Amino acid sequence: MKEFETLLTEQRGAVMLITLNRPQALNALNSTVMRELSEALRTCDADDGVGSIVLAGSEKAFAAGADIKEMQPVTFVDAYLGDFLGGWEAIAATRKPIVAAVSGYALGGGCELAMICDFIIASETAKFGQPEITLGIIPGMGGSQRLTRAVGKAKAMDMVLTGRMMDAAEAERAGLVARIVPPERLLDEALEAAGKIASYSRAAVMMAKEAVGRSDELTLAEGLRYERRLFHSLFATEDQKEGMAAFVEKRKAQFRNR
Ligand code: CAA
């Protein structure tokens, strides 16, 4: 992977670890981060050697939101004509699974970026919030939609209208976070989860992500049909034969992405 100004990347086996790296601004998400993260994730999608991705921040902040200093002078016409923040949709279109490893602040766009990832593993220190209302704006990278789907209307309204933060325990109870771990375990836990994902059949993993992702968009009947068709298609893979043969023969499956 090439060098980036605002990201660090490191391949660990079949897992790409991407770390947001703007410590002076608590990883505030400016247009360079958006462009670079989009490029890094596109590269991961295109690289057969990468099976999954971990996205992390620093100990103090996963990301403290969109970059307020960059946003301050933006006019309506700039925002509308340039489809301001629209580029984050390209990040949401990543086809390989992304595990967010969240420590410290995940606020505004930081919380929204964590929610764009497929699931969140949080340190006990994590704090989630949508404080845009305190700046005279509303969430613009999916907070009003993804947070509502994750935690339900009551908590989403509370967060978006008051701007208060949720700690890790509340976020887990509410369904925003998949697991909470002690701070010193965060990266290992996220890398282990991503490593496990990357060890499975690539087609099955990507279809699993696609199927669960569609549940936000489809009716139950359409979603069930969509899932079943994807399920049927996996019987065309060698990996399905291998996975089931390995179970019957009481050995570990050797998936070859065929
Ligand atoms: N944008 C730009 N710079 C930011 C930033 C942001 N979102 N968050 C923090 N920083 C900068 C600060 O300006 C400060 O820089 P200087 O040293 O140059 O002054 C540096 O990071 C350290 O921050 P603090 O001194 O404020 O650190 P703290 O520990 O006292 O407070 C904090 C931490 C509570 C997270 C506080 O920084 C904060 O409230 N940040 C803003 C959070 C926020 O409102 N996020 C939402 C942004 S809007 C958005 O995201 C829209 C959207 O939907 C996409």
Side-chain angles (χ1 to χ4, degrees), residues 50-244:
V50 176
S52 62
I53 298 139
V54 170
L55 181 62
S58 69
E59 203 180 320
K60 179 166 178 187
F62 175 74
D67 191 311
I68 299 168
K69 292 168 190 165
E70 186 182 69
M71 267 186 302
Q72 191 181 1
V74 171
T75 67
F76 163 74
V77 172
D78 296 337
Y80 182 74
L81 295 187
D83 193 22
F84 184 47
L85 302 183
W88 291 95
E89 282 311 307
I91 287 164
T94 306
R95 297 182 69 215
K96 289 178 182 166
I98 311 175
V99 179
V102 175
S103 175
Y105 296 112
L107 301 178
C111 183
E112 294 167 301
L113 176 57
M115 293 190 291
I116 286 174
C117 298
D118 296 300
F119 63 96
I120 300 172
I121 300 184
S123 149
E124 287 159 352
T125 65
K127 285 192 187 322
F128 298 87
Q130 298 290 162
E132 289 86 348
I133 200 77
T134 68
L135 299 166
I137 55 169
I138 68 168
M141 282 167 52
S144 66
Q145 306 302 302
R146 291 195 179 93
L147 187 65
T148 309
R149 283 166 168 80
V151 305
K153 180 182 162 190
K155 269 199 194 289
M157 281 288 192
D158 180 3
M159 306 293 295
V160 170
L161 290 175
T162 69
R164 80 170 174 91
M165 293 184 210
M166 262 195 219
D167 64 15
E170 183 181 3
E172 190 192 31
R173 276 200 309 279
L176 178 60
V177 155
R179 315 180 191 176
I180 303 178
V181 294
E184 65 280 5
R185 277 282 307 147
L186 179 64
L187 206 54
D188 285 346
E189 186 94 2
L191 287 167
E192 281 166 26
K196 194 171 259 199
I197 292 166
S199 75
Y200 298 135
S201 171
R202 189 76 44 85
V205 161
M206 290 172 65
M207 283 192 201
K209 167 168 172 156
E210 201 176 329
V212 176
R214 283 294 175 98
S215 70
D216 276 343
E217 294 166 16
L218 299 179
T219 63
L220 181 61
E222 288 167 331
L224 290 171
R225 215 169 9 251
Y226 186 71
E227 175 195 78
R228 205 156 57 244
R229 295 298 172 239
L230 289 178
F231 174 77
H232 293 160
S233 72
L234 287 168
F235 286 80
T237 65
E238 286 178 22
D239 283 344
Q240 173 267 329
K241 299 290 175 281
E242 165 60 13
M244 294 191 184

